[in-house]
Every structure is written in C-alpha cells, then in structure tokens.
Amino acid sequence: MGNRILSTLERTLASVGAACHSHTEARPSPVLLAIGVPPHVALNALRVSVGRETSIEDIDVFIKDLTNAVQKLDSVGDSGSISVGLNQDH
C-alpha cells in the first residue's frame, strides 16, 4: 500500500524504507516492529524526512498531498485499509 500512495503523491518525494536498504528485499523496519507495529503495517509505512530547512508550509503541503492521495485511492476503491498517522518525535 505504501508504494501505491507514493505513486499517487503529486508534490512529495518519500520512500517506504531507508535508502541504505533500497537494494535489498522489502522487509518491515526493525524499529517499527520493536515498538509494536504489526509487520503488515510496518512493511507499508512511509518514511518522510525533515530537516532544519523544512518549514511549516512544507509540512502543510505534505499533509495536503498525502490526504489527497489517500482520498484519490479511496475514491477508486484502491485504498484497502489505509491508516494515516503522524509520529512526531521531539
């Protein structure tokens, strides 16, 4: 599901895994598994990176783009069971 969402995003670049593992077979993040995320959910988690230069406006654009992508997939019956959540680490 993560890859379907990524292909539907219009303004955002993201991934479903770490760049250092892009050459290997897709597998759930050990970190997500360790905190109790079910494997089928962890396998489809989107990885979005932000930095010091990321503005609130950039985050707003991402949220709108993600919301639109999920709504688009839902409207054509291709969303399966999408759970959208934000994990804000401080």
Side-chain angles (χ1 to χ4, degrees):
M1 182 54 62
N3 283 320
R4 279 190 274 177
I5 292 173
L6 288 179
S7 68
T8 307
L9 294 173
E10 295 180 2
R11 299 185 63 189
T12 305
L13 298 176
S15 67
V16 291
C20 58
H21 295 291
S22 64
H23 64 283
T24 63
E25 179 182 331
R27 58 181 195 252
S29 161
V31 173
L32 293 177
L33 296 175
I35 62 171
V37 175
H40 71 283
V41 174
L43 186 61
N44 290 292
L46 297 180
R47 180 183 180 97
V48 180
S49 299
V50 298
R52 289 183 217 202
E53 303 297 319
T54 304
S55 68
I56 296 297
E57 291 79 18
D58 294 331
I59 293 169
D60 289 341
V61 166
F62 167 71
I63 291 170
K64 184 173 184 173
D65 198 19
L66 179 61
T67 301
N68 289 342
V70 171
Q71 289 173 345
K72 184 184 239 181
L73 289 171
D74 193 42
S75 72
V76 296
D78 194 25
S79 64
S81 176
I82 296 176
S83 174
V84 177
L86 297 175
N87 179 4
Q88 299 175 342
D89 293 332
H90 299 283

